[in-house]
């Protein structure tokens, strides 16, 4: 249903940035989209899942993400979704 765009300040790198979206059930929801790459994120302490993928869809790749301390799961894959996890 949308996009997250982040443009760091000139003296800031994406690795040092602290982004917060409090009280959402999941940090990222992939739904009705294919060929999505999620990479280089630290996702922590969401009410349900860090990343939730709802199919049917294919071509979702999660790379080099640290997903911790979420209530239910780090990554939840529902309804015939094809997801690849990579370091």
């Amino acid at each position: 249903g949308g996009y997250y765009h982040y443009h760091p300040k000139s003296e800031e790198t994406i690795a040092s940035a602290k982004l917060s979206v409090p009280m959402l059930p999941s940090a990222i929801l992939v739904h009705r989209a294919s060929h999505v790459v999620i990479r280089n994120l630290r996702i922590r302490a969401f009410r349900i899942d860090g990343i939730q993928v709802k199919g049917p869809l294919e071509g979702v790749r999660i790379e080099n993400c640290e997903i911790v301390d979420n209530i239910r799961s780090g990554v939840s894959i529902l309804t015939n979704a094809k997801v690849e996890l990579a370091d």
Side-chain angles (χ1 to χ4, degrees), residues 4-48:
Y4 285 102
H5 292 280
Y6 176 74
H7 300 281
K9 298 174 191 170
S10 59
E11 69 276 2
E12 180 180 52
T13 66
I14 192 71
S16 66
K18 294 187 181 192
L19 304 176
S20 175
V21 185
M23 300 306 293
L24 292 175
S26 300
I28 296 173
L29 169 63
V30 180
H31 181 60
R32 294 185 183 180
S34 292
H35 310 292
V36 174
V37 177
I38 301 166
R39 78 167 57 101
N40 301 330
L41 294 177
R42 183 172 194 269
I43 298 170
R44 180 177 176 272
F46 278 81
R47 289 188 321 184
I48 299 181

Side-chain angles (χ1 to χ4, degrees), residues 25-86:
S26 300
I28 296 173
L29 169 63
V30 180
H31 181 60
R32 294 185 183 180
S34 292
H35 310 292
V36 174
V37 177
I38 301 166
R39 78 167 57 101
N40 301 330
L41 294 177
R42 183 172 194 269
I43 298 170
R44 180 177 176 272
F46 278 81
R47 289 188 321 184
I48 299 181
D49 304 313
I51 299 173
Q52 189 177 94
V53 182
K54 291 183 178 181
L57 54 82
E58 62 182 39
V60 175
R61 181 176 170 94
I62 301 170
E63 300 177 357
N64 194 35
C65 291
E66 180 182 356
I67 308 168
V68 297
D69 299 330
N70 299 288
I71 298 299
R72 181 170 67 181
S73 66
V75 178
S76 176
I77 302 169
L78 308 166
T79 319
N80 195 26
K82 296 179 182 176
V83 178
E84 179 182 359
L85 302 175

